[in-house]
Amino acid sequence: MLCALGAAVCFGTATVLQAVAARAASAEGGAGGEAALLLRALRQWRYLAGLALDGLGFLLQIAALRSIPIYAVAAALASSLAVTGVVAARLLRVRLSGVEWAGVGVVCAGLAMLGLASGSEGSSEGPAALQWVMLAISVLVLLLGLFGGRWTGRGRALVLGAGAGCGFGVVEVSVRLIDSLGPSDLLTNPATYALLLGGGGAFLLLTSALQRGSVTTATAGMVIGETIGPALVGVVWLGDRTREGLAWLAVLGFVVAVAGALALARFGEAPEADGTA
């Protein structure tokens, strides 16, 4: 659980550091569009530190997925929104409302319940078809990421955010389906390609959702997509269990943590300086 919480801290802090760097790069001015802005941001030490934290967070996420149930990791990663909110309040002087501070407390309470109730990682490898199912879902996520940005419907942000969450969920499950890191085993395992395609598609979808849609709606969809589905896969097919007699506490903790994250959904993107959504 410590690895999962460490990953949430890394991801949440990285979001704020990259936001600070992006604003500093924008203040420098200059032409060149988004590519030039990215290059200027890469010269900011905070942006590089954020990228390093993202990398460390991903490694901690992998370690967590190999040691505790997926449902616990998914809820912990959703709590990175609480970290972002608290760090933003400190570094960006974002004003958190009473409801949002309550959301931070709710997330912490939910994670505490999960920490007490969660058992060890499930030992089941799941059905052989599960790897191919993950690969098929990842292809659909990638296709939605490539073409979904053209959609202009009212539910665009929610659908694209949920699709991004599914992609991140595929990454979570695929990590558990990779048993060997040998080059030949990785190249012949469908879960390897599911992880890469799912992660890439999720990034495209989330970027598209946040560009012209509601940050809060897109992030809420992402939180739901990356928590509920993977948690069910872990319990039903991969053997994830709770400590004896504490299944009710794990369910309650999961629901509470995800609900708290949804209350903080506006922090799914770099927060605005004045605390506006």
Side-chain angles (χ1 to χ4, degrees):
M1 193 64 177
L2 287 178
C3 287
L5 294 175
V9 170
C10 288
F11 291 143
T13 305
T15 297
V16 179
L17 290 175
Q18 289 162 354
V20 174
R23 286 176 186 169
S26 298
E28 292 178 5
E34 294 297 324
L37 177 62
L38 177 60
L39 290 176
R40 291 196 297 272
L42 286 171
R43 295 199 294 267
Q44 302 279 337
W45 70 266
R46 290 181 181 86
Y47 196 87
L48 296 176
L51 291 177
L53 283 174
D54 280 333
L56 177 59
F58 183 66
L59 293 177
L60 289 172
Q61 177 185 357
I62 292 176
L65 287 166
R66 305 297 295 184
S67 58
I68 62 176
I70 292 177
Y71 62 78
V73 178
L77 293 181
S79 76
S80 66
L81 295 172
V83 177
T84 298
V86 172
V87 177
R90 179 75 176 179
L91 296 184
L92 297 181
R93 303 189 185 281
V94 172
R95 184 177 301 173
L96 271 67
S97 67
V99 172
E100 288 168 337
W101 278 117
V104 173
V106 166
V107 166
C108 293
L111 292 176
M113 287 186 276
L114 273 173
L116 290 172
S118 62
S120 59
E121 172 198 15
S123 57
S124 174
E125 297 181 356
L130 186 58
Q131 297 175 341
W132 293 101
V133 171
M134 290 298 105
L135 180 57
I137 294 175
S138 70
V139 171
L140 292 176
V141 168
L142 182 60
L143 290 175
L144 185 59
L146 292 174
F147 301 106
R150 302 176 183 177
W151 184 29
T152 57
R154 289 185 60 186
R156 176 181 184 276
L158 179 61
V159 172
L160 297 185
C166 289
F168 291 129
V170 166
V171 171
E172 295 171 13
V173 175
S174 297
V175 168
R176 286 279 296 275
L177 298 178
I178 297 175
D179 296 324
S180 172
L181 298 180
S184 60
D185 293 324
L186 286 175
L187 290 174
T188 56
N189 190 341
T192 303
Y193 303 99
L195 187 153
L196 296 174
L197 294 177
F203 178 79
L204 289 174
L205 279 168
L206 189 58
T207 300
S208 179
L210 295 177
Q211 267 186 336
R212 294 186 297 274
S214 164
V215 172
T216 301
T217 301
T219 306
M222 182 190 69
V223 169
I224 293 172
E226 73 176 344
T227 54
I228 297 177
L232 289 175
V233 171
V235 171
V236 175
W237 286 296
L238 299 180
D240 288 347
R241 293 293 181 267
T242 64
R243 294 182 182 178
E244 187 174 355
L246 292 181
W248 66 270
L249 185 61
V251 172
L252 179 61
F254 180 86
V255 172
V256 167
V258 172
L262 290 174
L264 298 167
R266 77 179 177 102
F267 294 103
E269 192 185 33
E272 296 295 333
D274 295 326
T276 56

